[in-house]
Amino acid sequence: MGVKQQTAVAHPNLALIKYWGKRPGELNLAATDSISLTLDGYRTATAVGFEGGLEQDVFTLNGARRSAERVTKMLDLVRRETGLRCGARVDSRSTVPTAVGLASSSAGFAALSLAACAAAGLPTDVARVADFARRGSGSAARSLLGGWVEMRSGAHDDGSDFTVGELAPGNPWDVSVVVALTSRKAKRISSTAGMNRTAATSPYYGAWLESAAADFGNAKRALLEGDFQAFAFLAEHNCLKMHASAIASTPPVLYFEPATLAAIRTVWELREAGTGAFFTADAGPQAKVLCETKDRPRVEAALRATAGVLDVIAMSPGPGAWLR
Ligand code: PMV
């Protein structure tokens, strides 16, 4: 068969209402519905070409050969759907630092799944591609879309009512995300291992699931009503509840570093002084601060002056994934 190479580009997304925990089964369905913001700035461009005669997938990231294990796992689903038997050459170029909690996998698997579907001749509408993206990394399905995005697992065991959708297209608020980089080391525990351990051992996992469902409904309403302060406050609280449930696991799942806590204090001091800044953090030590763009210079300066913060990176809302 001739090679048809396709390239897709995707940006990371930041979860404001978190997915933390999986439903039983192989489909990688989240136990909680989530809301995210796709960001500009960092991006991943991935080229996929299925090649007759290639027995294994060959994966390169920024020119260096890498283990293709997770790539192959996702491409196997595409091969199963299409009857393709050959391996693929996957060449990914990414500006997102990997495994430090900057959502590199969300951009990576969104770009990979879109490029793979196109290269294999499968439909490339978001609903179809999202099923593949989610299998690679739960949060990746959200990066297929731009701006504010909701991801809902639905109720069916076969995942047939799983959806991702753009919320409030047109961007209701002029917001920025300022990332306080607190560590360049790889995260201690992957998000999958962290959430599985939380589900298996944390006495607070049940409480997390219950309050996450309420947070999703309330945050979506605040977003649709244009109430930024209410939305961002819910997001910050949702993040703390996710981490509280994780910290209570055995052994503990603790992603914060001292500088993460210092950045959180800075955000609270900013708020006490009248600036509407709100933090969130994922499976890593970086503090990510949501604010209105008019307040961005003040937030950047305060984070820069925070002990232990290595760098400050500001981002704006970004578009969904596209084929190049
Ligand atoms: O997409 P995964 O499997 O890496 O999990 C993402 C988990 C969080 O980033 C912590 C939360 C989220 O909703 O993205």
Side-chain angles (χ1 to χ4, degrees), residues 17 148 172-175 218-219 221-223 225-237 267 270-272 274-279 290-295:
I17 297 295
W148 298 97
W173 306 306
D174 186 6
V175 293
N218 291 332
R221 195 169 323 116
L223 181 58
E225 284 171 0
D227 188 342
F228 173 73
Q229 302 290 320
F231 175 86
F233 189 80
L234 278 161
E236 187 177 287
H237 191 211
V267 167
L270 279 166
R271 272 225 303 279
E272 271 163 30
T275 300
F278 300 83
F279 76 89
L290 182 68
C291 64
E292 291 185 71
T293 301
K294 67 176 171 49
D295 295 326

Side-chain angles (χ1 to χ4, degrees), residues 5-8 45-49 58-60 88-93 111-112 115-116 119 324:
Q5 185 178 281
Q6 294 282 354
T7 301
T46 299
V48 177
V58 178
F59 174 47
T60 51
R89 227 172 265 286
V90 176
D91 179 27
S92 195
R93 306 269 152 181
L112 174 67
R324 203 161 67 180

Side-chain angles (χ1 to χ4, degrees), residues 25-276:
E26 292 299 301
L27 298 175
N28 207 24
L29 289 162
T32 60
D33 293 339
S34 54
I35 297 177
S36 62
L37 181 62
T38 304
L39 299 170
D40 69 355
Y42 294 127
R43 62 188 228 159
T44 300
T46 299
V48 177
F50 290 94
E51 277 183 37
L54 199 62
E55 279 176 13
Q56 283 179 349
D57 299 320
V58 178
F59 174 47
T60 51
L61 178 61
N62 296 331
R65 185 86 183 257
R66 295 292 190 98
S67 156
E69 197 183 325
R70 284 182 78 185
V71 168
T72 294
K73 223 170 138 194
M74 215 211 70
L75 293 182
D76 279 347
L77 302 170
V78 173
R79 280 186 279 262
R80 198 174 310 154
E81 188 100 356
T82 53
L84 274 169
R85 285 165 177 274
C86 57
R89 227 172 265 286
V90 176
D91 179 27
S92 195
R93 306 269 152 181
S94 181
T95 60
V96 197
T98 50
V100 293
L102 285 175
S104 56
S105 62
S106 65
F109 282 103
L112 174 67
S113 56
L114 180 57
C117 284
L122 288 174
T124 55
D125 55 287
V126 168
R128 280 300 289 285
V129 178
D131 282 332
F132 293 106
R134 183 193 75 225
R135 299 288 289 273
S137 172
S139 57
R142 297 187 308 237
S143 272
L144 295 171
L145 293 167
W148 298 97
V149 175
E150 67 170 348
M151 179 167 83
R152 313 198 67 168
S153 279
H156 299 166
D157 287 342
D158 64 0
S160 55
D161 55 349
F162 164 85
T163 55
V164 283
E166 270 176 18
L167 280 173
N171 212 6
W173 306 306
D174 186 6
V175 293
S176 290
V177 171
V178 183
V179 178
L181 197 79
T182 60
S183 170
R184 291 196 170 87
K185 289 197 205 120
K187 58 179 133 178
R188 295 171 197 272
I189 314 163
S190 75
S191 45
T192 292
M195 64 178 83
N196 286 345
R197 193 187 297 166
T198 305
T201 68
S202 174
Y204 303 144
Y205 183 64
W208 154 252
L209 292 182
E210 241 173 70
S211 76
D215 286 351
F216 177 85
N218 291 332
K220 181 170 172 174
R221 195 169 323 116
L223 181 58
L224 296 177
E225 284 171 0
D227 188 342
F228 173 73
Q229 302 290 320
F231 175 86
F233 189 80
L234 278 161
E236 187 177 287
H237 191 211
N238 179 265
C239 162
L240 284 170
K241 286 183 282 189
M242 176 200 121
H243 284 276
S245 73
I247 292 166
S249 306
T250 43
V253 176
L254 176 60
Y255 291 107
F256 295 169
E257 295 291 340
T260 320
L261 295 175
I264 290 172
R265 289 267 171 228
T266 295
V267 167
W268 288 341
E269 279 162 20
L270 279 166
R271 272 225 303 279
E272 271 163 30
T275 300

